[in-house]
Every structure is written in structure tokens, then in C-alpha cells.
Amino acid sequence: MKLLVVSDVHGDLDALERAVDAEADADAVIFLGDGLREAENLQDMRPELKIYSVRGNCDYASFATPDGLAAFGGVLFYYTHGNLYNVKNELDTLADAARARGADAALYGHTHCAGCEERSGVVLFNPGALSRVQGRGSYGVVMVENGAPRFEHRRV
């Protein structure tokens, strides 16, 4: 199973479309906020896509949920934008929240910095920012095989 993980689109629908095109065989897209309008536009243009999304701190007036929980290939993922967990300063609160929900991994954005590490038995994965706010954009791909996730960062 293949998941496309994107965050912080910030208006760059073109970059979002390029990422989706590059990973056309993805089974689902997990959108981590800050660009819900672009995620909605993408869903309208490509209704066959299964998109899981949460709101970010820049998704003003959105009633979308701030977090979600979904299982893919026997792996439970907790996903959120990250601003509610102060991820720009520390990751332990996010790891604790994911572990409390029984998640194997937490997917988050907000920092615009790609990263992957394990804390308290939970893998924390940030795809970076898809928009080119800070240079070349990035996104994530998660491959789940035999109940084990493999996390990768890719450039737009």
C-alpha cells in the first residue's frame, strides 16, 4: 500500500498536482493542512482520489477536523497539522498523543521542515512543505508492506 503525504500547500495547487501525478499509484492522499482549499479543488478535479485531510492553522474559518486516525495495511496512523502540539518547539507531546490513541505513527506538518524520527515507540513523520515558501517543495511517501511502514521524502 502506498500513501502520499502532503502538507503546507499554501496556495500552490500546481505543486500539489505535480506530487499527485508523480505518485499516481498512491492508494490514498493524506493532507496535513494549510491549503484545504487546494485539497478540495484536487478532490473536485480527481474524484477517484481517496483524500484524508485535516485543517491547519492557516485554514481560516474551516470546520474540518484538526486530527484523524486511519489504518492502512495493518498500521495505525494518527495525522494532524501539528500546531496544536507545539511541534515547532518539541515533539514529545505529539508522540504522547499518538501513543494514547494506539497509533504506530504520527504524520504532521506545520514546521515546513521534512523529518522522520521515533519517540516513545511512535514514528513521527513530517513531509515538509509542498509549497515553495522556503525553496523547493517536498512531500512524503509511506509504503506499507506486511504491516511495516517505510517513510520517504521526495521533492516536487
Side-chain angles (χ1 to χ4, degrees):
M1 172 161 279
K2 181 178 183 179
L3 307 173
L4 169 61
V5 183
V6 297
S7 187
D8 298 280
V9 174
H10 294 291
D12 196 344
L13 182 59
D14 183 55
L16 181 58
E17 287 184 274
R18 285 195 315 275
V20 169
D21 288 343
E23 310 302 336
D25 59 338
D27 297 292
V29 177
I30 301 179
F31 183 81
L32 302 174
D34 280 3
L36 272 178
R37 183 172 297 147
E38 289 74 38
E40 292 166 356
N41 288 341
L42 179 66
Q43 187 70 80
D44 289 343
M45 293 183 305
R46 301 183 188 197
E48 74 282 1
L49 287 177
K50 181 63 178 166
I51 300 177
Y52 298 77
S53 60
V54 294
R55 73 172 182 258
N57 62 299
C58 292
D59 294 316
Y60 308 111
S62 171
F63 294 107
T65 183
D67 60 3
L69 198 61
F72 299 97
V75 178
L76 187 59
F77 293 89
Y78 176 63
Y79 57 100
T80 187
H81 184 61
N83 58 305
L84 300 178
Y85 294 102
N86 197 29
V87 296
K88 287 186 177 181
N89 295 310
E90 57 92 16
L91 295 175
D92 291 328
T93 305
L94 175 61
D96 291 345
R99 191 175 64 252
R101 290 164 173 81
D104 303 296
L107 309 175
Y108 72 100
H110 188 55
T111 67
H112 295 198
C113 298
C116 186
E117 64 180 83
E118 186 175 332
R119 290 206 183 182
S120 303
V122 176
V123 177
L124 306 176
F125 182 74
N126 187 326
L130 191 59
S131 71
R132 296 178 184 211
V133 172
Q134 295 176 329
R136 195 169 169 206
S138 68
Y139 62 91
V141 170
V142 181
M143 299 297 295
V144 181
E145 297 170 355
N146 301 318
R150 187 177 78 244
F151 300 87
E152 301 174 12
H153 293 100
R154 299 189 179 162
R155 295 286 186 179
V156 180

